[in-house]
Amino acid sequence: MENFLNKFFFRSSNLNYISHSVANLTKQTPANKIFEALNTYSDNSEVRYVGGCIRKIIKKEVVDDIDLATNLKPSEVCDALKKKI
């Protein structure tokens, strides 16, 4: 496993490409509004890209859907989005 991680992250420019692609995804989609709403809901709230969109970025494919995960309860997500969006 360590060998795989070294190859993936340290021996290639993949990490820069992934970071740049994730930043562009946030800038080029309405996801930035969701991130802002959820991340500012409380001091402990977090939201992250997960799943297929990350896999597609890694594989240099077109991202056609966005998956997010948060540590908020569903009712808190609704509250946060109602307040900001």
Side-chain angles (χ1 to χ4, degrees), residues 3-85:
N3 228 4
F4 170 76
L5 293 175
N6 284 337
K7 180 179 179 183
F8 185 77
F9 287 111
F10 301 114
R11 295 186 196 157
S12 71
S13 62
N14 281 344
L15 186 56
N16 289 336
Y17 172 79
I18 292 167
S19 297
H20 182 71
S21 297
V22 169
N24 281 341
L25 184 62
T26 302
K27 291 176 189 174
Q28 297 171 0
T29 66
N32 63 338
K33 293 179 183 178
I34 296 170
F35 270 78
E36 182 182 330
L38 299 183
N39 281 329
T40 60
Y41 180 74
S42 73
D43 290 338
N44 297 323
S45 60
E46 297 178 355
V47 61
R48 301 282 184 256
Y49 289 108
V50 296
C53 62
I54 297 299
R55 183 187 68 247
K56 288 180 180 183
I57 287 172
I58 291 169
K59 293 175 77 175
K60 299 183 180 181
E61 297 176 354
V62 174
V63 176
D64 56 358
D65 68 327
I66 297 173
D67 304 312
L68 302 174
T70 183
N71 63 340
L72 298 175
K73 297 175 186 175
S75 61
E76 293 171 329
V77 171
C78 291
D79 289 343
L81 294 176
K82 286 177 185 175
K83 288 179 183 176
K84 293 281 186 174
I85 296 181

